[in-house]
Amino acid sequence: MYTVILWLFYLFYSRFLSGAIPDDFLKSIREEDPSVEVVVDLSDNFITDLSSSLTTFTNMNLVLVDSDITSPAPEELCDTDHNGWTAGMVGQVRDGGALNACNAILCPPGSYNKDGRLSVTRGCDVCTSCTTFGCTSCIDETPTNGNKVCEILNELFTKTSGRAWYNNDNWLVVGKDICEY
């Protein structure tokens, strides 16, 4: 007989959370069983740093894409004790020969991926407009053809968390005219 425990926390698109993840974040779960699967989605908030206390979890899917993270994930999160992180992606990426398994948690500044983190099938692509960890879109890839209005609208979308808008159809879609946004 197996007992499966899964903790789910969804606080994404709220833009109410800001600052560093505190050291006592999920403390009661860490103290009870740090190997339990935990899913936490804090995407599109103003989170700036990850707590090193998260290293006690060995099986966490922490989603922080499009937040304001400016510091890299603690290196300990990317070692062999944390193969279960991001649904096992940290281990898969490391086993696949990637230089930095932490990219399976968040793509570094200067790069992006539609998921905000490296996967087995897609890496973190170069994007000079991404200045934080975990970017999911790239203004650099959206052709503006020198159209200043298009450049401003693309920047507006990125800076105001356009992914969280109720209607964000066609924004940053290559080949779409700004009248179709």
Side-chain angles (χ1 to χ4, degrees), residues 10 15 17 41 52 68 99 124 148:
Y10 293 101
R15 297 306 257 179
L17 303 175
D41 191 339
S52 60
D68 290 337
L99 295 176
C124 297
K148 191 68 173 168

Side-chain angles (χ1 to χ4, degrees), residues 2 13 18 108 121 152 156 165:
Y2 295 95
Y13 300 133
S18 63
T121 58
I152 292 168
L156 172 75
W165 293 353

Side-chain angles (χ1 to χ4, degrees), residues 107 112-115 117-125 136 141:
C107 285
Y112 84 108
N113 178 311
K114 69 179 182 65
D115 298 320
R117 56 188 177 198
L118 181 140
S119 69
V120 173
T121 58
R122 184 169 178 192
C124 297
D125 299 323
T136 60
E141 280 202 345

